[in-house]
Amino acid sequence: MKGNDLEVAMGIMKMTVKKNKVTLSQAPPDSFETLADTTGNVTIDTKEKLLHFQFELDVRGKAKEEVISLLTNWVDDAILLGLQEARIVHGRGSGVLKDTVRSFLRKYKEVISLSDEVREKGGDHVTLVKFKA
């Protein structure tokens, strides 16, 4: 929320909506179970999502298109969960996966830095992602 505006995000698409144009379609649930009602509105159990989140995403051997699909879901979850840091293992190879990962992640304003991991933890085979807090 920013004043009377709400920022609504779906994937990397975002838009700003006036607060007075938004209404709750149902009362907030007592627990944060994942629900979908007849209007298609969904609430997300972030505790459950955090339990199953992979803080290290391994994309070695994947096709470029598959990497983008995996990254989209992974980054959205990382941002939703409020992570500060996570790792992506892409290996060395020809550098295509590393370039794909980094160029894709640069599109997110929530990503503040991308760097090689320290040598002892994978070096340039791993990208360390830092998110805005």
Side-chain angles (χ1 to χ4, degrees):
M1 277 193 332
K2 296 174 187 170
N4 286 325
D5 294 332
L6 299 173
E7 186 174 274
V8 180
M10 183 171 240
I12 61 173
M13 288 182 27
K14 295 180 183 176
M15 65 180 179
T16 302
V17 181
K18 293 289 181 195
K19 191 175 177 180
N20 64 355
K21 300 288 183 184
V22 177
T23 58
L24 284 174
S25 62
Q26 66 184 34
D30 291 334
S31 67
F32 289 99
E33 295 176 10
T34 302
L35 302 173
D37 63 14
T38 55
T39 64
N41 293 323
V42 175
T43 57
I44 298 170
D45 183 349
T46 54
K47 289 179 186 175
E48 182 71 21
K49 194 170 276 294
L50 185 58
L51 285 173
H52 298 292
F53 183 77
Q54 298 175 330
F55 290 85
E56 180 176 285
L57 179 65
D58 190 340
V59 298
R60 289 176 290 183
K62 307 268 191 254
K64 186 176 177 178
E65 295 76 23
E66 188 178 1
V67 169
I68 290 171
S69 175
L70 289 169
L71 280 172
T72 300
N73 295 327
W74 184 82
V75 173
D76 288 346
D77 286 351
I79 292 167
L80 175 71
L81 294 170
L83 297 186
Q84 293 183 358
E85 188 175 287
R87 297 167 28 106
I88 301 171
V89 179
H90 41 69
R92 178 171 280 156
S94 64
V96 171
L97 289 181
K98 179 179 179 177
D99 293 343
T100 299
V101 164
R102 291 189 178 193
S103 65
F104 180 82
L105 291 173
R106 284 187 187 102
K107 296 177 185 176
Y108 284 86
K109 68 180 181 180
E110 294 86 358
V111 173
I112 57 173
S113 74
L114 301 168
S115 60
D116 292 342
E117 182 59 276
V118 295
R119 186 174 184 187
E120 296 78 23
K121 293 183 179 180
D124 63 353
H125 300 216
V126 177
T127 293
L128 184 61
V129 184
K130 292 192 180 184
F131 298 95
K132 288 182 182 175

